Amino acid sequence: MNSEYDVIVLGTGLKECILSGILSVEGRKVLHLDRNNYYGAESASMSPLESLYTLFGETLEGEKYGRGRDWNVDLITKFLMAHGRLTKLLIHSDVTRYLEFKQIEGSYVYKKGGNVYKVPASDKEALASSLMGIFEKRRFRNFLIWAQSLNFQDPKTFQGVDPEKTTMTEVYKKFGLDSNTAAFTGHAIALYLDDGYLEKPCADAIKRIKLYYDSLSSYGKSPYLYPLYGLGEFPQGFARLSAVYGGTYMLDKPVEELVMENGAVVGVKSGGEVAKAKCVICDPSYCSDKVKKVGQVVRAICILKHPVAKAGNSSSFQTIIPANQTDRKSDIYVCLLSNLNQVSAKDFYLGSVSTLVETNNPEAELKIGLDLLSPIEHKFISVKDIFEPTDDGKASKIFISKSYDATSHFETTCDDIVDMYFRITGSKFDFEKIKLNLDEAKKQ
Ligand SMILES: *[C@@H]1O[C@H](CO)[C@@H](O)[C@H](O)[C@H]1NC(C)=O
Ligand SMILES: *[C@@H]1O[C@H](CO)[C@@H](O)[C@H](O)[C@H]1NC(C)=O
C-alpha cells in the first residue's frame, strides 16, 4: 500500500471492477480496496445460501433447499446483451478468459390481463405470435423487416424516414402500430425505461432494436447471456486479471478518510496508512457527503421449486412488465435462473423481481412479478436508496458511480461506466475498436 497509484478504487461492485479492469489494461497502476470481507459490494453474489440468510438476519435450517454451496445468489441480477456494450467492455478488459457464459433461454413481455408472451425472435416468429392480433402482427413484421434492413450509410433503405429527424411516434404511425405494440417494442426490445424516446429522432431506437436482433441472431433463443456461477464471477475475474497487470485487490480494508489537498483528492487513509493516488473511483457508500438520494428500488429474491409454465417452463428467462401495461410509472423486471446457470441447487430455481419504488408499500408494487413466479418457497425483500453523485469529479478527482437501478439488463450500468470513463480519462471509450465477438475473444 505504500507506493503511489494512478487510481485507487473503493468498493468491488460491478461498475468499480469494470473501470478498474479497463484502466489496468490501459496501463494505469491501480489499487482496489473494499471494506467488506467479500467481493461485490451492493452487487455481490451470496454463496453458500446460508450467507444470504445471514445477510437478511434470518437462519436457514438444514438442507431444505439442497446443498447451500450450490447456490450463488446475486443481490442484483442483470443479464448481458450478447453484442452489447458490457460484452465489449469485458472483451476489451480481457476478463472474458476467466468467465463462461450461458445463453438465457427466453425473453418475455407482459401484457395487460396477466399473461406473458415471448418477444418475437424474428419476423417469422412475429407472424406466429399471439402477442398481437392478426393484422397488427403483419404490420409489426413489416416494421421489423424495415428496422433490421435499415443501413444508416444508405438512405435508399430509409423508406421515407430520416433517422436523425423522424420521431419514433411518427415511425410507429407510419407502420400503423398501436400503443401496446409500441409499449413492448420500446420497453422489451429497445429497453427504454420511459417513453421519452417517442418524441426523439428514431436513430437511437433503431440502433437498440438492431442490437437486440443482432444479439439474438448469434445465439437464437434470447439476446441475453449470463455468467456461470453468477455475477459474483466478475469481481473475482477482475481480481485475477488485476494481478496479471500488476494491480492489487485488498478486501476487508476499512477506509477512514479520503485525503484532500486544495480541493482535490491525493490519497486514501486505510488502517492508519495513507496510499497516494492521482484520483479515486468509488461507489456512493464511500462518499456520502458527495451524493444525493434520487429514489429507491425494491427487489425480491425468490427461491422456487418449479419453472414458470406461463414462460414455457424455460430454465432461465427475463420478463419485462412495461409500466404502460399496469397502472405504474416504471417497468417491473422479472428474472429466473436455475442450476443450469450454476446459481441454485438441483431442482430449485432462483427468481428475482425489481422495480423503482412509487408508493409507501414497495413490496406490494412487485405483486404482478411475484404472482408470475408463485408459488414461492421463500423470499427476501430489500428496499435500497438510489444515490447519484453531486460532484462530476473534475475538480475533486473523486469519481463516484450511481447506485444500481431496477433494470435486469446492463444498459444503464454501461451508460454510467462510459460516462465515468470519459470524466476520468478525458476521452470517449471507443467501442469501434473492439472487433472480436465473445466467441472469438474466448478462442484467442
Ligand atoms: C410446464 O410444466 C407443467 C408441469 O410439469 C406442465 O403441466 C405444462 O404442460 C408445461 N408447459 C409447457 C408450456 O411446457
Ligand atoms: C399506453 O400508453 C398510450 C399513450 O402513451 C395510451 O394511449 C395507451 O392506452 C396505453 N396502453 C395501455 C394498455 O395502457
Side-chain angles (χ1 to χ4, degrees), residues 306-314:
H306 60 87
V308 174
K310 280 183 178 173
N313 293 330
S314 315

Side-chain angles (χ1 to χ4, degrees), residues 106-257:
S107 170
Y108 292 82
V109 62
Y110 174 93
K111 199 170 163 188
K112 212 171 210 161
N115 272 328
V116 302
Y117 297 85
K118 200 164 178 280
V119 175
S122 64
D123 56 287
K124 282 194 198 73
E125 223 177 273
L127 282 188
S129 170
S130 50
L131 173 60
M132 293 162 272
I134 178 95
F135 297 111
E136 182 72 0
K137 56 194 180 191
R138 289 198 191 140
R139 293 188 287 263
F140 177 71
R141 175 174 179 267
N142 292 339
F143 163 74
L144 208 52
I145 292 175
W146 167 79
Q148 285 178 296
S149 58
L150 189 143
N151 173 353
F152 289 98
Q153 317 312 330
D154 181 3
K156 284 201 289 296
T157 63
F158 295 180
Q159 294 184 23
V161 169
D162 179 346
E164 301 303 333
K165 287 214 180 80
T166 314
T167 66
M168 208 50 199
T169 296
E170 289 165 340
V171 171
Y172 288 141
K173 207 164 150 200
K174 172 183 164 73
F175 286 92
L177 299 176
D178 67 26
S179 64
N180 289 321
T181 307
F184 108 78
T185 305
H187 292 245
I189 300 177
L191 303 179
Y192 285 110
L193 307 192
D194 59 46
D195 286 338
Y197 79 96
L198 285 170
E199 300 312 322
K200 294 193 179 134
C202 63
D204 186 58
I206 295 168
K207 281 181 196 152
R208 288 165 172 246
I209 293 165
K210 283 175 167 300
L211 171 64
Y212 186 99
Y213 285 98
D214 285 350
S215 297
L216 231 166
S217 65
S218 42
Y219 296 92
K221 288 183 180 160
S222 89
Y224 301 110
L225 300 176
Y226 182 80
L228 287 183
Y229 304 102
L231 296 183
E233 291 299 289
F234 286 172
Q236 308 221 33
F238 278 110
R240 289 169 69 187
L241 181 78
S242 166
V244 175
Y245 286 92
T248 310
Y249 263 67
M250 297 169 101
L251 296 180
D252 212 1
K253 287 301 237 179
V255 172
E256 290 105 41
E257 190 189 338

Side-chain angles (χ1 to χ4, degrees), residues 6 38 51 60 188 207 234 242 280 283 285 313 405 423 432:
D6 292 317
Y38 54 87
S51 65
L60 172 62
K207 281 181 196 152
F234 286 172
S242 166
V280 166
D283 72 44
S285 71
N313 293 330
D405 63 17
R423 282 183 281 130
E432 296 300 316

